[in-house]
Amino acid sequence: MSEATTASEKTLMVLEAAMTHGRFSEIVTAVNLPKATVHRILTTLVERDFIQVADGGAHVPGPKILSLAGVAYDRVDISTIVQPYIDDLVRRVQCTVHVGVRSGDEIIYLVRTDSDKPYRMPSRVGAAIPLHTSAIGKAILARLDDDAIERFVNRAGLPRRTARSLTTLDELRAELADIREDGYAFDREENVPGVVCIGTAVRDHTGHSNYGLSISSLALEHTEGQLAAMAGDLRKAAADITHALGGDR
């Protein structure tokens, strides 16, 4: 541990370690500080209700930290958080980029940022799209197990949006297997004729993949192979957004 580490830094280190390590010995190991220092900081955090000591001696989040977490979550504006990463992705790929969130059996667009191209995608913020016809939706579905996929199909069905929409459980399962292997999904004119997308899922602070990110273009301008060449940029942006939302890259 650097001698230059300030008291404030030490307090934050101990607080963070206490959120993920219950035992005193584990916290000491995680922060690599003297036991006396860790004990003093933990005592203050307990007195201020940031930490509680549960039965058996484990340290757990206290009422103050839970209250602050709730306030912080209520104030989260996803659009504001993700916009810098979206702007950077648009500059790199020169296509329209969307961020969507799962709402039941649909994807709702939260963000749409266009490139300098002379055309605009036929999409809008607030639009609802079936999970199985969108790149974002399929990328999120690919994170579910087979039983959850079957329940989704039984509940929502697989309505056809275009001639290329997936309409059977077997088709969907085969596609999701490819998505799990590749790490990204395609929309091959499955939602709007002439529009193609590549998308991937984004995890939030809970570790769940309820958000997603996609790059959209016209089928006349980008082939599937050309979209696939953008996968690296797409996944980097998704990892950055995941981190910004409190998830693990």
Side-chain angles (χ1 to χ4, degrees):
M1 181 62 58
S2 169
E3 294 181 0
T5 304
T6 67
S8 296
E9 290 172 326
K10 292 176 182 177
T11 300
L12 291 173
M13 290 166 58
V14 172
L15 177 60
E16 182 177 357
M19 295 294 99
T20 54
H21 301 81
R23 299 295 176 183
F24 177 76
S25 59
E26 296 172 339
I27 297 171
V28 171
T29 300
V31 298
N32 193 26
L33 291 171
K35 290 183 179 180
T37 300
V38 175
H39 184 270
R40 173 176 53 79
I41 293 173
L42 282 174
T43 298
T44 300
L45 292 172
V46 170
E47 290 173 350
R48 297 294 300 272
D49 285 336
F50 284 91
I51 300 293
Q52 285 184 321
V53 181
D55 293 341
H59 294 82
V60 297
K64 179 63 69 67
I65 201 75
L66 294 174
S67 175
L68 289 174
V71 171
Y73 188 72
D74 286 341
R75 295 183 63 187
V76 166
D77 181 349
I78 299 297
S79 299
T80 300
I81 291 173
V82 306
Q83 196 63 58
Y85 307 104
I86 300 307
D87 291 342
D88 181 62
L89 182 58
V90 170
R91 282 192 295 270
R92 283 185 278 129
V93 300
Q94 285 299 298
C95 293
T96 296
V97 173
H98 295 95
V99 173
V101 62
R102 179 179 181 179
S103 178
D105 297 324
E106 297 176 315
I107 289 297
I108 307 295
Y109 282 145
L110 300 176
V111 177
R112 167 187 145 166
T113 301
D114 295 309
S115 68
D116 295 329
K117 298 288 177 65
Y119 59 82
R120 295 290 181 266
M121 292 293 105
S123 59
R124 59 178 175 80
V125 171
I129 302 170
L131 290 173
H132 73 289
T133 66
S134 67
I136 291 175
K138 288 191 288 184
I140 290 175
L141 286 174
R143 299 292 180 94
L144 305 180
D145 60 31
D146 287 341
D147 288 341
I149 296 300
E150 187 165 355
R151 289 196 299 271
F152 158 72
V153 172
N154 290 336
R155 180 179 65 250
L158 298 173
R160 184 183 299 279
R161 295 287 290 255
T162 76
R164 304 198 67 177
S165 300
L166 303 177
T167 57
T168 70
L169 178 58
D170 287 344
E171 287 178 326
L172 181 62
R173 280 178 169 162
E175 178 109 353
L176 297 182
D178 290 339
I179 294 167
R180 293 183 187 112
E181 182 175 348
D182 296 335
Y184 53 84
F186 289 109
D187 166 4
R188 302 175 176 91
E189 303 182 66
E190 296 161 56
N191 189 63
V192 177
V195 174
V196 292
C197 306
I198 182 173
T200 193
V202 171
R203 292 185 301 279
D204 60 18
H205 69 288
T206 68
H208 295 127
S209 298
N210 292 316
Y211 297 94
L213 174 69
S214 69
I215 298 169
S216 300
S217 184
L218 299 180
L220 291 174
E221 181 169 4
H222 286 98
T223 65
E224 186 171 317
Q226 289 171 324
L227 285 177
M230 302 177 189
D233 288 328
L234 177 74
R235 286 185 292 198
K236 180 184 184 304
D240 289 341
I241 292 172
T242 290
H243 180 69
L245 295 179
D248 295 328
R249 280 192 173 95

